[in-house]
Amino acid sequence: AQSVAQPEDQVNVAEGNPLTVKCTYSVSGNPYLFWYVQYPNRGLQFLLKYITGDNLVKGSYGFEAEFNKSQTSFHLKKPSALVSDSALYFCAVRCTSGTYKYIFGTGTRLKVLA
Amino acid sequence: EAQVTQNPRYLITVTGKKLTVTCSQNMNHEYMSWYRQDPGLGLRQIYYSMNVEVTDKGDVPEGYKVSRKEKRNFPLILESPSPNQTSLYFCASMATGAYSNQPQHFGDGTRLSIL
């Protein structure tokens, strides 16, 4: 079965430290990969995507993500965390085999401590 | 402003009373989708639509109906709601075709409580 895994329910990091939010996937073909962020009482907002090309993609608010095909991973990173980065983060995969089916991970709550 | 608008934002109702959650987008997107978000389960797709009059089941379609009579609107219908449909619901839209690698745009959500 196709799936997206976010192994950590919560990640705590001190402000100013680097952060990593992990995502691995099990999807056939060459899917498109996305990260979204959700703030309280709001919908998901797009952060960044990997379609093809350079394995390191840069997105909004200083976030970046590294695609690793051999490990089927797409980890979200930021060199220096801010308290305002505290939110719920979702990894998502869009299957490209003729459909627009999306699979989301279960989400990781990031808590940046001042 | 480009947006996806859901109504209502909050609804408390009782088992068996039909309800409709509306979703409208102003970006002329072909693709629209409904998700439900539950703790520990992330977002699960209920239904999606590739264009007017074209809809398909997602992963958890039981108990829900949708229609796509106009490009901008994609209502979610619960004919006979049950308590296990208590959840946070999101509508999303996305450009397709030449823009098929674009992200989805999400509404702000509808919190449904079925008593």
Side-chain angles (χ1 to χ4, degrees):
Chain A
Q2 302 185 104
S3 62
V4 174
Q6 292 181 243
E8 301 150 319
D9 290 336
Q10 182 160 319
V11 169
N12 296 326
V13 63
E15 188 174 31
N17 282 4
L19 69 88
T20 298
V21 182
K22 296 179 181 176
C23 173
T24 59
Y25 63 92
S26 175
V27 176
S28 57
N30 296 306
Y32 298 160
L33 304 168
F34 299 85
W35 275 102
Y36 291 86
V37 60
Q38 183 181 28
Y39 297 102
N41 298 316
R42 299 300 305 275
L44 279 68
Q45 297 176 32
F46 168 70
L47 272 182
L48 49 78
K49 65 181 178 183
Y50 175 82
I51 305 301
T52 188
D54 195 350
N55 289 345
L56 185 66
V57 293
K58 295 187 183 298
S60 307
Y61 313 120
F63 283 93
E64 56 191 29
E66 186 166 16
F67 170 66
N68 187 315
K69 187 170 185 176
S70 63
Q71 297 184 3
T72 61
S73 66
F74 189 53
H75 300 331
L76 181 70
K77 303 183 184 214
K78 188 174 183 182
S80 178
L82 300 172
V83 172
S84 57
D85 293 330
S86 298
L88 187 56
Y89 290 81
F90 287 97
C91 180
V93 167
R94 206 211 95 189
C95 306
T96 57
S97 53
T99 74
Y100 285 87
K101 182 174 175 60
Y102 269 85
I103 305 170
F104 281 81
T106 52
T108 298
R109 187 164 299 282
L110 174 67
K111 197 167 185 179
V112 182
L113 308 166
Chain B
E1 180 190 350
Q3 58 186 5
V4 177
T5 304
Q6 296 178 228
N7 280 297
R9 291 291 313 279
Y10 304 92
L11 179 63
I12 302 173
T13 187
V14 297
T15 299
K17 186 176 181 182
K18 180 179 178 180
L19 66 91
T20 298
V21 184
T22 63
C23 174
S24 179
Q25 50 95 3
N26 63 0
M27 294 165 279
N28 201 36
H29 285 165
E30 296 83 8
Y31 179 95
M32 296 186 75
S33 184
W34 276 103
Y35 297 88
R36 60 178 289 174
Q37 182 181 2
D38 301 289
L41 297 176
L43 269 73
R44 294 178 293 168
Q45 193 171 41
I46 303 171
Y47 270 95
Y48 64 96
S49 170
M50 296 294 292
N51 214 323
V52 175
E53 303 292 0
V54 181
T55 63
D56 210 345
K57 296 177 181 178
D59 293 319
V60 288
E62 295 78 17
Y64 304 95
K65 284 177 58 176
V66 293
S67 68
R68 188 92 183 273
K69 292 183 170 53
E70 306 165 281
K71 198 171 188 179
R72 63 182 291 125
N73 296 323
F74 190 46
L76 180 69
I77 303 156
L78 284 70
E79 295 266 4
S80 183
S82 62
N84 64 9
Q85 293 177 298
T86 293
S87 187
L88 179 58
Y89 292 84
F90 289 101
C91 181
S93 73
M94 181 181 70
T96 59
Y99 306 99
S100 63
N101 61 15
Q102 295 306 302
Q104 294 185 80
H105 297 253
F106 285 83
D108 283 336
T110 296
R111 188 168 290 282
L112 280 183
S113 293
I114 316 293
L115 305 177

